[in-house]
Amino acid sequence: NQKTGVEYYVDALLRALCSVAPAEVFDICAPTLWDAETPDTWTVCALTWPWPGWSTFRFSAHCLYTRPDVVFAPGNALPPVRVGKMVTTVHDLAFVHRPELYTMIQRQNLERAHRKAARADHIITISDVTKRDMMERYGVSEERVTTVYHGIDHDRFHVRASSDDAVQRVRAVHHLQKPYILFIGRVEQKKGVDTLIRAYADAHLLEQGIELVLAGRRGEFVSEHLNALLTSRGVREIGYVADENI
């Protein structure tokens, strides 16, 4: 019910594919059902698995049974079995650049996942920085990596008049009376929230009557330093915000 960044990415990809490739045969697999209308040639499978290792065990078994031509893992979680062409999206290598923000087990798991991703037939990265990281750290050739930047759903995200009823309702619910800068994501150092708060202070935006509003759950790594920054004047946390209110 509370999608993360990768889940938003997957949801947007699937909705776009419904429009551009309605006649192709897709087998959508996830631990839970994707709640959307799909073309007749698509199947949506909820591959339940109550233990860790969904991709390693449950998804692998499904691939061996269905024998797809192409396996696409949008969250850098390719199965260990090799069935058809393998494509994955690598979002970042933050665990390499900021290892102190991850536990040893997290770093080990991410390293294994990225080494597995490096063996894919093709890799999609969301920035040229991540493309370069994959090439330099794992020796991936440039022709096997394509940068595809995130898009914007202009049907959902567009400027509305401040007098719009929906805008007024959301502003009232979250007490957004002043001009504000909005951050959406987990509130933790991995997301650069500490840097954002310092930039907000350095720009003296509070003196200009502008708030910094953080929309998202607290992450697992919130240091004492970040906790102190979160109490800064003009900085407000409003928790997770539902899609319809974004």
Side-chain angles (χ1 to χ4, degrees):
N1 292 326
Q2 295 188 355
K3 291 196 288 289
T4 64
V6 173
E7 288 163 346
Y8 274 111
Y9 176 76
V10 174
D11 184 76
L13 279 179
L14 291 177
R15 292 181 189 279
L17 283 170
C18 283
S19 300
V20 301
E24 300 296 331
V25 178
F26 285 93
D27 185 16
I28 313 301
C29 303
T32 57
L33 281 175
W34 184 54
D35 185 22
E37 229 178 279
T38 58
D40 294 338
T41 55
W42 291 28
T43 57
V44 181
C45 301
L47 305 179
T48 56
W49 185 256
W51 305 284
W54 179 86
S55 178
T56 300
F57 300 105
R58 186 65 184 91
F59 185 43
S60 292
H62 183 79
C63 290
L64 288 170
Y65 178 72
T66 57
R67 314 298 296 186
D69 297 310
V70 178
V71 174
F72 172 55
N76 186 23
L78 282 169
V81 299
R82 193 162 187 89
V83 182
K85 297 290 186 181
M86 309 289 272
V87 182
T88 190
T89 299
V90 175
H91 297 268
D92 63 66
L93 272 72
F95 74 99
V96 173
H97 298 289
R98 297 293 303 274
E100 72 277 10
L101 302 182
Y102 296 80
T103 66
M104 183 179 68
I105 292 175
Q106 286 175 328
R107 293 196 302 270
Q108 290 172 344
N109 288 338
L110 286 165
E111 180 66 26
R112 280 194 294 269
H114 283 79
R115 286 191 180 280
K116 192 188 303 179
R119 297 195 294 269
D121 293 284
H122 205 82
I123 300 166
I124 297 169
T125 57
I126 65 168
S127 71
D128 288 333
V129 171
T130 302
K131 176 179 179 177
R132 186 174 63 249
D133 284 347
M134 289 299 293
M135 292 168 59
E136 292 178 354
R137 185 173 180 83
Y138 300 108
V140 178
S141 60
E142 186 170 6
E143 59 268 19
R144 284 202 298 121
V145 191
T146 301
T147 298
V148 181
Y149 302 116
H150 286 332
I152 300 171
D153 184 349
H154 291 285
D155 291 332
R156 288 188 59 203
F157 300 106
H158 55 271
V159 177
R160 298 186 185 184
S162 58
S163 58
D164 186 290
D165 288 344
V167 172
Q168 292 293 330
R169 175 181 58 79
V170 172
R171 291 183 76 105
V173 167
H174 295 292
H175 309 290
L176 302 172
Q177 304 306 320
K178 300 178 180 178
Y180 62 94
I181 295 170
L182 179 65
F183 166 88
I184 302 174
R186 283 197 312 276
V187 178
E188 60 182 354
Q189 280 166 282
K190 290 179 187 177
K191 302 298 184 183
V193 175
D194 51 342
T195 303
L196 176 62
I197 296 175
R198 288 196 297 269
Y200 170 76
D202 289 346
H204 303 288
L205 295 178
L206 176 63
E207 291 87 337
Q208 301 174 46
I210 300 171
E211 291 184 317
L212 175 59
V213 177
L214 309 175
R217 299 186 299 270
R218 283 282 185 107
E220 60 184 6
F221 193 94
V222 179
S223 66
E224 290 183 10
H225 175 62
L226 178 55
N227 254 324
L229 288 174
L230 289 169
T231 64
S232 303
R233 289 181 59 219
V235 178
R236 286 208 296 122
E237 294 182 77
I238 60 175
Y240 187 88
V241 178
D243 278 7
E244 60 270 19
N245 291 340
I246 293 292

